[in-house]
Amino acid sequence: MTFELKTLAGSWVLSLFLALTGSHAIAAGSLAIDTLQGEKYGFSFNHSSANQADQRSMRECGADCAVVLRFSGECGAYAADQAKGSNAYGWGTGSSSANTQARAMSECRAKGGSSCTVRAWGCDATTATSPQAVATPPAGQPAPQINPPISSGLAMLGEWLVDYVGASYTASGTLRVSDSLGNGNFRGVMVQSFTNSSGDAKRVQQDVMITVRGDSVVINASNPVYLIGTGRYSPDNFTLSAASPNLLRGKNSDSAGSVGTVVISRR
């Protein structure tokens, strides 16, 4: 019996170590800005690799842009002067959104900005902070939960980035949640850009209703309208789970039966 208890305890400690160290990749983010010092920028966070983060920020920024900042397992922020004719800007990284935004604002002002404003910020869902030691529980008691579920009342208001990968095309865009209707219900607008199999660029806007129940999020779209291009677009229906307060993952099953994977991250 003593040998069995020691074996079980050793297995539990090993499992806990692997859970704390091996199963959580550090998320990545990046900032791209217009190399001509114009108004364009792109910002990303919570991506699984630096390459994916760079692709996202460059896609948002567009032509004549370059990645100027990469961060991993922390927060990043970008500030720019809003005064007419000014090209002062600043960025920063840190362990919290508050000090990161403060650093970006300080750098913008140090470059002569008189009306600096934080244009973008975000924190990676998985940080580089070392986990605290967890004591081995006495025999017969359950192990502590390493990753407790997100509490109910997930904050949805604000702007989110949407990445969709389907069988025949990929799409990216934004989800702007503008209204809280109470009882975990929200309303907003989603815009998705994609290129169809014929090479035609399209952009579609949809109204969305959002229902949050604990860690589960359901997004039902309606009234799709083409902002670029024409055709028939089947409204999206997203079923997602919250990996963190800033990251949702799930699938889309639209009214035409198409199925794809979706990642939604807070902008």
Side-chain angles (χ1 to χ4, degrees):
M1 177 65 74
T2 302
F3 175 77
E4 291 177 353
L5 287 175
K6 287 183 177 178
T7 302
L8 289 173
S11 299
W12 183 85
V13 172
L14 176 61
S15 298
L16 177 60
F17 174 78
L18 292 175
L20 289 173
T21 59
S23 64
H24 292 83
I26 302 302
S30 75
L31 166 68
I33 64 172
D34 185 355
T35 54
L36 302 178
Q37 296 187 339
E39 297 182 353
K40 296 189 297 181
Y41 68 93
F43 187 82
S44 66
F45 62 101
N46 273 335
H47 287 269
S48 59
S49 70
N51 184 52
Q52 289 184 5
D54 289 352
Q55 290 178 2
R56 176 74 199 212
S57 60
M58 286 293 292
R59 187 167 67 242
E60 280 195 5
C61 190
D64 299 320
C65 290
V67 173
V68 295
L69 174 68
R70 293 186 178 96
F71 56 96
S72 181
E74 57 182 347
C75 302
Y78 170 61
D81 190 12
Q82 304 303 292
K84 186 175 181 179
S86 174
N87 56 15
Y89 57 84
W91 57 74
T93 60
S95 59
S96 71
S97 62
N99 61 34
T100 301
Q101 292 181 60
R103 288 175 184 173
M105 288 288 288
S106 177
E107 184 174 325
C108 179
R109 295 183 182 117
K111 291 182 178 179
S114 60
S115 301
C116 293
T117 300
V118 173
R119 302 294 301 277
W121 68 273
C123 296
D124 292 329
T126 306
T127 66
T129 303
S130 299
Q132 296 180 347
V134 180
T136 304
Q141 293 188 11
Q145 193 169 13
I146 298 170
N147 286 317
I150 310 301
S151 61
S152 59
L154 183 68
M156 289 297 302
L157 292 175
E159 189 162 321
W160 300 72
L161 302 176
V162 181
D163 285 294
Y164 169 79
V165 178
S168 58
Y169 73 96
T170 62
S172 62
T174 58
L175 167 65
R176 179 166 296 174
V177 185
S178 55
D179 299 307
S180 175
L181 307 178
N183 196 30
N185 297 309
F186 300 86
R187 181 170 53 203
V189 174
M190 181 166 60
V191 177
Q192 290 268 62
S193 298
F194 62 96
T195 301
N196 66 8
S197 56
S198 300
D200 300 320
K202 297 177 180 288
R203 181 178 298 166
V204 175
Q205 177 176 297
Q206 305 176 81
D207 298 326
V208 295
M209 295 295 294
I210 303 166
T211 301
V212 178
R213 296 292 182 267
D215 297 351
S216 300
V217 180
V218 175
I219 300 177
N220 294 316
S222 62
N223 304 319
V225 176
Y226 276 95
L227 303 179
I228 297 177
T230 58
R232 181 180 180 275
Y233 190 92
S234 301
D236 292 305
N237 297 294
F238 295 167
T239 303
L240 309 124
S241 296
S244 81
N246 298 317
L247 181 64
L248 312 176
R249 294 191 180 100
K251 65 179 182 179
N252 172 44
S253 300
D254 66 25
S255 58
S258 298
V259 177
T261 58
V262 182
V263 176
I264 300 179
S265 56
R266 188 177 294 279
R267 184 165 188 170

